Amino acid sequence: PYADGENTIAQISARLSTGISVIVVLLIIMAVLIALIGGVGLSGVLSLSVLERRREIGVMRALGASSGQVIRLFVGEGLILGWLSWLIAIPLSIPAAYFLATEVLPGVLNANLAYRFTVSGLLIWFVIVTVLAIIASALPARNAAKVSVRESLSYS
């Protein structure tokens, strides 16, 4: 600080940068947690689907479906659910992010922020959703592939 108590632009910029860095890290942690919870939820939904569709899997196996085809069926189902969630999230996230950037964060940081929507962020999140959907679908799909024809057709 100068003798009269004023701060330099570099000092003000450094304080704002530190505040923004902390908030960015917290938002990233929140996004990762939400993504993990979504992945666990998707895995649970697909596991229930495997249990409910045991007869269908047995009929497919009896007609000659390979384990790979059964796995692809459930991974494909997981991908479709993941992509649908991504599509639904787009129109909801844009106004939420705008509100966060223009109303909430300026009050916390005591500085004005500019909101900017980027297509690259949208595409990066699409890749993350795709990878998470494949990972979340892997275990239920593998369990579906292990279902034998005799076991599934006798299942009630």
Side-chain angles (χ1 to χ4, degrees):
Y2 288 113
D4 59 1
E6 290 183 29
N7 292 323
T8 65
I9 292 175
Q11 290 170 331
I12 294 170
S13 177
R15 275 199 310 269
L16 283 175
S17 178
T18 302
I20 289 173
S21 296
V22 168
I23 289 177
V24 167
V25 167
L26 290 174
L27 289 173
I28 289 172
I29 290 170
M30 266 183 22
V32 168
L33 287 174
I34 289 170
L36 289 175
I37 291 168
V40 169
L42 178 60
S43 186
V45 165
L46 289 174
S47 293
L48 286 174
S49 179
V50 168
L51 286 174
E52 290 175 357
R53 295 166 58 186
R54 278 180 113 52
R55 286 185 186 263
E56 177 187 334
I57 296 167
V59 169
M60 288 172 42
R61 301 286 284 185
L63 294 174
S66 67
S67 294
Q69 289 171 320
V70 173
I71 288 173
R72 281 192 299 276
L73 174 74
F74 283 95
V75 170
E77 192 174 308
L79 278 171
I80 288 171
L81 289 172
W83 291 339
L84 283 173
S85 72
W86 177 78
L87 282 173
I88 291 169
I90 292 170
L92 298 174
S93 65
I94 293 171
Y98 179 79
F99 176 74
L100 187 67
T102 59
E103 300 296 326
V104 176
L105 292 179
V108 172
L109 297 174
N110 208 13
N112 289 330
L113 299 176
Y115 171 75
R116 187 172 57 129
F117 174 79
T118 61
V119 176
S120 62
L122 198 62
L123 295 176
I124 289 169
W125 196 247
F126 178 77
V127 170
I128 291 169
V129 165
T130 300
V131 170
L132 280 173
I134 291 170
I135 292 170
S137 304
L139 183 62
R142 196 185 75 183
N143 290 340
K146 289 181 180 180
V147 173
S148 70
V149 175
R150 184 178 63 81
E151 174 190 333
S152 64
L153 294 179
S154 67
Y155 181 78
S156 52

